[in-house]
């Protein structure tokens, strides 16, 4: 057996263990009775330890040495070379993280999340502050262990968005704010209530599910390799490209919740289902640092696809002109007096709000920037934990013109920091920006794409995305994918132009007057 085959077999076993962990997690979040929580915890802990031992073992070191010698001189762009190179890179990084740090993080997480959940309900930031401080101290130790050039945030964001640094994010955010803040002001000045409120009716859940799944399949989601379930916090999860599952949640009145939740996760799922079969069980479908078996190359790249399908397609005028008649067949009475135009406006209403997960396309990134700026401040010491509520509220007022009455609706709203997830937020905004660059490139490359989309035909778009992005799994970084597809790195231009065109039209803003 060649050194590459031995290396590949070893990585395939790691992939199998990680996929088994993911199945247990999916089950815990969708099917498991509450009584199963404790023993499920043991099962996950045991398998996670086995995965960790398998990867940081001397065997991995030996196999890497052997395979590196064997493939020396091969094409640098080949999947084989890239699989070995990425495994080596993450092997060295993970071996630098001390085991006591790993176990301290694992032990703190459930306690910290529990305290946060209680603090959120009781609007009691002070009770959570000491745990946030502990999470921050661990994150700083993690950043020192991984290493960075300029800012400790660089080491942490690397886990989610390897092409990003604090310095690059600051530039990106300044460019975005310069476009978003004036656009938001103009929209707020032109806001007018919809003629009728669509969300006072009841929309039976089985019909909501049927319509959402019909659209997911129209986008190209393959149910022979997928399924849709209910979860309180919707997510997509894959156990190789052959089994890619999505979840959503329902509101009886608010139709957009389940529909756009499903379309968002469908975007993630299309990415995973589109990975080249040759990459199954290889290093190019493993997120080593996050310890997930996942085909997408970064959080941002993944979010670029969920957001492309959810927002740029699902919330477009063309989409509603094609699909509204079908939706009305499901809900003839509820939608008797509505039309495609009203629905289009209803699912694109812009309103500065307090809660990130409810934010529209224009305000969403402002919520993200506020969080990332706070994380950077905490990590470089320019901000103290006890200053957070005040800083949060001041930034909300500055960016969105609203101030939360409580920390429950402010600094305590997201679970991320209670689990120590510093560095994960930029992916959402990077994904938004990338999604517009990718769609612009697809429109340039695929003749008649706009006409196809206007007819509700999504195969040409899906095919372009598969060929240029999905099939490569994690072989290329987000930066490399952008370069290959668009000829440039991350650029805010296409995204700001998309928002400007869409919302100028929706809110009849006219030409931009300074
Ligand atoms: Zn997502």
């Amino acid at each position: 057996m060649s050194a590459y085959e031995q290396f590949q077999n070893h990585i395939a076993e790691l992939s199998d263990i990680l996929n088994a962990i993911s199945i247990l997690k999916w089950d815990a979040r969708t099917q498991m009775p509450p009584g199963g929580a404790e023993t499920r915890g043991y099962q996950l802990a045991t398998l996670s330890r086995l995965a960790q031992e398998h990867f940081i073992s001397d065997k991995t070191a030996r196999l890497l040495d052997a395979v590196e010698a064997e493939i020396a001189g091969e094409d640098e762009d080949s999947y084989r070379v890239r699989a070995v190179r990425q495994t080596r890179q993450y092997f060295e990084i993970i071996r630098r993280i001390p085991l006591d740090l790993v176990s301290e993080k694992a032990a703190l997480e459930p306690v910290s999340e529990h305290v946060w959940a209680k603090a959120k309900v009781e609007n009691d930031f002070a009770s959570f502050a000491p745990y946030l401080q502990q999470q921050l101290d661990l994150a700083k130790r993690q950043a020192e262990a991984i290493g960075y050039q300029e800012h400790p945030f660089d080491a942490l964001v690397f886990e989610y968005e390897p092409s990003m640094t604090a310095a690059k994010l600051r530039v990106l955010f300044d460019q975005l704010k310069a476009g978003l803040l004036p656009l938001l002001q103009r929209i707020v000045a032109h806001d007018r209530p919809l003629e009728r409120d669509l969300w006072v009716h009841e929309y039976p859940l089985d019909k909501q599910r049927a319509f959402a799944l019909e659209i997911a399949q129209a986008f190209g989601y393959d149910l022979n390799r997928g399924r849709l379930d209910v979860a309180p916090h919707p997510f997509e999860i894959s156990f190789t490209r052959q089994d890619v599952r999505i979840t959503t949640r329902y509101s009886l009145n608010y139709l957009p919740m389940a529909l756009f939740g499903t379309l968002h996760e469908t975007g993630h799922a299309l990415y995973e289902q589109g990975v080249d079969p040759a990459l199954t069980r290889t290093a190019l479908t493993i997120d080593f640092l996050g310890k997930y078996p996942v085909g997408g190359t970064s959080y941002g790249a993944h979010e670029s696809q969920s957001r492309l399908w959810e927002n740029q397609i699902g919330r477009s005028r063309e989409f509603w002109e094609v699909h509204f008649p079908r939706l009305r067949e499901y809900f003839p009475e509820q939608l008797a007096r509505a039309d495609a135009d009203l629905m289009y406006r209803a699912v694109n209403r812009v309103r500065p709000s307090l809660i990130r997960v409810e934010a529209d396309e224009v305000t969403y990134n402002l919520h993200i920037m506020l969080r990332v700026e706070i994380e950077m401040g905490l990590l470089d010491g320019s901000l103290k934990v006890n200053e957070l509520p005040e800083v949060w509220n001041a930034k909300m007022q500055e960016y969105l013109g609203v101030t939360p009455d409580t920390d429950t609706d402010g600094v305590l709203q997201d679970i991320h920091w209670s689990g120590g997830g510093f560095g994960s937020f930029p992916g959402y905004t990077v994904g938004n920006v990338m999604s517009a660059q990718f769609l612009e490139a697809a429109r340039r490359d695929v003749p008649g794409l706009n006409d196809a989309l206007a007819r509700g035909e999504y195969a040409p778009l899906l095919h372009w995305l598969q060929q240029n992005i999905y099939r490569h799994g994690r072989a290329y970084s987000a930066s490399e994918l952008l370069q290959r597809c668009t000829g440039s790195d991350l650029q805010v231009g296409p995204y700001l132009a998309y928002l400007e065109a869409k919302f100028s039209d929706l809110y009849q803003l006219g030409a931009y007057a300074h």
Side-chain angles (χ1 to χ4, degrees):
M1 205 190 298
S2 71
Y4 184 81
E5 282 166 335
Q6 289 179 45
F7 162 79
Q8 172 47 35
N9 288 345
H10 184 64
I11 294 296
E13 286 176 359
L14 175 64
S15 166
D16 292 342
I17 301 172
L18 294 176
N19 277 302
I21 291 171
S22 288
I23 295 170
L24 292 181
K25 284 184 179 168
W26 172 84
D27 177 77
R29 293 192 214 163
T30 58
Q31 310 290 325
M32 187 182 73
E38 191 184 349
T39 44
R40 181 56 49 86
Y42 293 129
Q43 293 152 6
L44 286 168
T46 298
L47 283 176
S48 300
R49 185 170 46 76
L50 288 176
Q52 176 81 357
E53 287 170 3
H54 190 91
F55 185 56
I56 59 169
S57 62
D58 294 338
K59 186 175 179 187
T60 306
R62 268 199 320 276
L63 291 170
L64 269 173
D65 288 342
V67 74
E68 281 167 348
E70 184 178 280
I71 64 167
E74 282 187 24
D75 178 7
E76 289 282 309
D77 253 6
S78 72
Y79 285 164
R80 281 160 57 99
V81 171
R82 282 176 178 254
V84 172
R85 201 163 63 203
Q86 283 188 24
T87 306
R88 166 65 76 187
Q89 183 186 15
Y90 284 100
F91 182 69
E92 298 302 337
I93 290 171
I94 288 170
R95 294 238 288 195
R96 287 206 294 271
I97 303 171
L99 284 175
D100 63 329
L101 179 56
V102 175
S103 53
E104 276 179 60
K105 276 170 72 87
L108 178 60
E109 188 175 315
V111 185
S112 171
E113 280 188 10
H114 178 75
V115 172
W116 162 78
K118 192 161 177 283
K120 181 176 174 176
V121 170
E122 294 172 357
N123 185 33
D124 181 11
F125 179 77
S127 70
F128 175 54
Y131 293 87
L132 182 54
Q133 184 65 53
Q134 286 182 57
Q135 286 288 11
L136 178 62
D137 293 341
L138 291 177
K140 285 182 181 166
R141 280 169 60 195
Q142 170 108 346
E144 297 305 324
I146 291 176
Y148 56 87
Q149 301 241 301
E150 284 180 16
H151 195 289
F153 190 76
D154 299 351
L156 301 179
V157 77
F158 177 82
E159 185 173 329
Y160 305 95
E161 207 55 46
S163 321
M164 271 296 143
T165 62
K168 283 192 202 173
L169 284 166
R170 286 206 183 92
V171 173
L172 180 75
F173 288 178
D174 283 346
Q175 291 171 340
L176 281 173
K177 281 183 207 163
L180 291 175
L181 291 173
L183 176 63
L184 181 59
Q185 281 174 8
R186 287 153 66 215
I187 290 172
V188 169
H190 282 75
D191 191 25
R192 57 202 161 88
L194 294 168
E195 295 136 49
R196 290 174 294 278
D197 194 338
L198 292 168
W199 317 133
V200 296
H201 304 290
E202 293 193 347
Y203 297 85
L205 306 192
D206 57 332
K207 291 184 180 177
Q208 289 195 39
R209 182 180 194 277
F211 180 73
L213 210 45
E214 198 175 300
I215 301 298
Q217 288 178 276
F219 284 176
Y221 183 45
D222 177 3
L223 282 180
N224 186 45
R225 298 184 285 138
R227 53 178 284 144
L228 171 64
D229 291 271
V230 180
H233 303 284
F235 61 96
E236 172 273 333
I237 192 164
S238 70
F239 327 120
T240 81
R241 72 189 293 283
Q242 297 304 112
D243 187 349
V244 181
R245 305 185 189 186
I246 57 174
T247 57
T248 195
R249 57 180 172 165
Y250 296 88
S251 154
L252 188 57
N253 298 111
Y254 190 60
L255 186 77
M257 180 185 281
L259 175 62
F260 289 106
T262 304
L263 300 189
H264 181 96
E265 304 308 335
T266 296
H268 286 301
L270 292 173
Y271 198 160
E272 295 291 320
Q273 288 191 333
V275 173
D276 188 332
L279 299 187
T280 299
R281 299 174 78 226
T282 71
L284 298 180
T285 47
I286 294 176
D287 172 359
F288 288 109
L289 263 175
K291 299 193 193 67
Y292 300 112
V294 53
T297 195
S298 72
Y299 267 53
H302 236 296
E303 280 298 310
S304 80
Q305 296 314 301
S306 55
R307 278 147 202 280
L308 188 154
W309 289 101
E310 177 198 352
N311 291 332
Q312 301 215 46
I313 303 300
R315 290 183 206 266
S316 68
R317 187 184 287 285
E318 295 78 10
F319 177 91
W320 284 106
E321 279 168 3
V322 174
H323 297 289
F324 180 77
R326 182 67 178 142
L327 184 64
R328 192 152 61 184
E329 286 176 24
Y330 279 101
F331 305 108
E333 278 149 37
Q334 296 90 329
L335 298 175
R337 299 194 308 142
D339 57 19
D341 180 65
L342 180 69
M343 186 60 74
Y344 172 55
R345 285 189 287 125
V347 300
N348 284 297
R349 184 97 191 271
V350 175
R351 253 178 297 196
S353 66
L354 299 172
I355 309 298
R356 173 184 65 88
V357 296
E358 293 166 9
D360 53 77
E361 283 185 87
V362 176
T363 57
Y364 190 89
N365 298 295
L366 297 165
H367 288 270
I368 296 300
M369 292 181 219
L370 169 159
R371 286 156 175 75
V372 176
E373 287 164 0
I374 285 176
E375 287 187 9
M376 289 180 190
L378 286 173
L379 283 160
D380 66 25
S382 61
L383 203 57
K384 302 274 173 284
V385 164
N386 62 12
E387 297 170 329
L388 247 55
E390 198 184 319
V391 172
W392 182 285
N393 293 354
K395 279 186 184 285
M396 283 297 289
Q397 189 59 46
E398 182 188 347
Y399 296 164
L400 291 157
V402 290
T403 302
D405 290 329
T406 63
D407 291 334
T408 301
D409 286 341
V411 67
L412 287 172
Q413 69 182 261
D414 289 320
I415 192 172
H416 300 56
W417 293 338
S418 73
F422 299 99
S424 71
F425 280 119
Y428 298 107
T429 287
V430 169
N432 277 328
V433 172
M434 283 173 73
S435 73
Q437 289 181 266
F438 285 135
L439 192 53
E440 190 182 79
R443 289 190 208 274
R444 182 200 61 206
D445 289 353
V446 183
L449 182 58
N450 290 342
D451 294 338
L453 293 175
R455 289 193 300 271
E457 293 168 13
Y458 304 104
L461 175 60
L462 181 62
H463 180 75
W464 186 90
L465 293 167
Q466 275 170 343
Q467 287 305 305
N468 290 283
I469 303 170
Y470 303 168
R471 73 184 168 103
H472 297 304
R474 302 175 68 84
Y476 297 100
S477 69
S479 231
E480 287 174 313
L481 284 178
L482 279 172
Q483 286 288 353
R484 290 166 59 95
C485 293
T486 72
S488 66
D489 207 341
L490 203 63
Q491 299 274 350
V492 299
Y495 181 59
L496 288 177
Y498 155 73
L499 291 177
E500 175 73 29
K502 176 172 179 175
F503 290 96
S504 290
D505 174 49
L506 264 163
Y507 284 86
Q508 294 161 15
L509 300 179
Y512 187 1
H514 283 276

